[in-house]
Amino acid sequence: MAEKRTEARHQNAEGLDIQAPDAILSFLADAQIEAAKAVRGAIPSIAAAAEIIADRLKGGGRLAYAAAGSSGLMAVADALELPGTFGIGRDRIAILIAGGDEAFHTLAGGPEDDTEEASAAVAAAGIGKGDCLIAISASGSTPYAVRALEDARSRGAATIAVANNKDAPLFRQADVAVLLETPPELIAGSTRMGAGTAQKIALNMLSTLAAVHLGHVHDGYMVNLTADNIKLRDRAARIVAAISGCSREDAARLLEKSGGVVKTAILLAAGAANADTAEKILEGTGHKLRPALSAIEGSKGH
């Protein structure tokens, strides 16, 4: 059996433990940078995967993540931020991590081999037709991730596989395979490092591009954010002011009228008669702000 790239020895590993601290840290930093670069080679597959995610979410489906160990933590980090950053409903996101809630305390290795737990998790989450599941595994052979993907596919869900080794079993039944061909780890097999960094970047790219497709991003602003604290309410006002050209005070007032909905507040600033009218315009444009603003400008011309 060929050695997996994620288990291979790094070229700078020999004598690492007797190097000066600054030298060790330099090696570690360089290894992370090289791992991050590997994501560029996966851009076409990430683009294809993001389109699938957006399509499923737009159609009312859900997005599920399935993984174990460090890959599970990368999945959790991406999934939990989607509601706040892009306003995607928490009920539209499912996180399946080997070991369940206990994984956040111990991250034991055993559960990653538990295929029955994976099947039970997919069934309990009700993953099926209209949904999309992303399975993540550095080796690409983690039994929990592989079974979760297989079961999701058999239940009619779209499937995306993210792994760091070529010819990974995880890729065999995936609709889209995202290969992050990271170099060997400086600490052999410690995929929480380079492989995990590349996974984090790839998942961020996936979910962000999906959000762009859904109309949740406009000129680099998160126009569908959930403003549920002081910082985010201030950010929402700054976004409305920046896009509409109104003052921060007017932006805050318009956000009150819109019930805190950024896109609606921007359309009010652009001339929409009221919040209901603004929301109907957004419905007509698939909740995309740019064509909604064009529609208001066009109506002014008439």
Side-chain angles (χ1 to χ4, degrees):
M1 185 175 180
E3 182 180 45
K4 295 173 182 174
R5 190 177 177 92
T6 51
E7 296 293 333
R9 192 159 177 261
H10 192 280
Q11 61 182 2
N12 293 330
E14 186 172 355
L16 180 69
D17 50 298
I18 56 173
Q19 295 285 337
D22 285 0
I24 295 172
L25 293 175
S26 291
F27 285 140
L28 287 168
D30 289 344
Q32 293 285 79
I33 291 167
E34 288 304 309
K37 289 179 181 178
V39 179
R40 284 198 170 274
I43 284 177
S45 57
I46 291 172
E51 191 168 351
I52 290 174
I53 293 169
D55 180 66
R56 294 303 186 274
L57 289 173
K58 187 176 181 179
R62 291 176 300 149
L63 173 62
Y65 297 71
S70 296
S71 296
L73 297 182
M74 297 303 102
V76 169
D78 193 63
L80 289 184
E81 292 191 326
L82 297 185
T85 304
F86 298 124
I88 297 171
R90 295 187 186 279
D91 60 338
R92 309 285 298 285
I93 308 294
I95 305 170
L96 315 181
I97 185 168
D101 290 344
E102 186 60 29
F104 299 110
H105 302 284
T106 61
L107 207 63
E112 74 174 46
D113 297 330
D114 194 338
T115 54
E116 290 185 6
E117 182 195 336
S119 292
V122 171
I127 304 303
K129 188 175 181 181
D131 299 326
C132 178
L133 180 135
I134 309 172
I136 310 106
S137 164
S139 67
S141 58
T142 303
Y144 182 95
V146 173
R147 175 62 67 83
L149 185 142
E150 290 173 347
D151 280 20
R153 182 179 178 84
S154 71
R155 295 166 65 94
T159 54
I160 297 163
V162 179
N164 300 75
N165 285 314
K166 281 183 178 179
D167 303 318
L170 195 64
F171 292 151
R172 291 172 190 163
Q173 293 194 51
D175 293 313
V176 178
V178 179
L179 171 62
L180 306 173
E181 204 167 3
T182 47
E185 303 288 355
L186 193 60
I187 310 299
S190 184
T191 53
R192 72 186 184 91
M193 300 170 72
T197 293
Q199 289 172 2
K200 178 70 165 64
I201 294 170
L203 290 172
N204 283 170
M205 291 166 66
L206 264 175
S207 55
T208 300
L209 182 55
V212 170
H213 288 320
L214 290 167
H216 298 337
V217 178
H218 179 94
D219 283 345
Y221 291 110
M222 51 178 82
V223 290
N224 211 50
L225 65 82
T226 299
D228 57 1
N229 64 24
I230 293 171
K231 177 188 73 175
L232 293 177
R233 284 191 288 273
D234 178 67
R235 180 178 296 164
R238 285 189 284 112
I239 290 171
V240 172
I243 294 175
S244 69
C246 72
S247 68
R248 289 276 293 278
E249 292 73 19
D250 284 343
R253 178 178 54 80
L254 292 170
L255 279 165
E256 284 187 18
K257 283 189 175 182
S258 73
V261 180
V262 171
K263 291 179 189 176
T264 302
I266 292 168
L267 294 186
L268 288 172
N274 52 52
D276 286 342
T277 300
E279 287 163 12
K280 285 178 183 176
I281 294 170
L282 283 167
E283 286 176 11
T285 63
H287 295 278
K288 293 186 176 180
L289 183 58
R290 196 176 300 278
L293 287 168
S294 295
I296 290 177
E297 286 301 312
S299 67
K300 287 178 181 178
H302 294 297

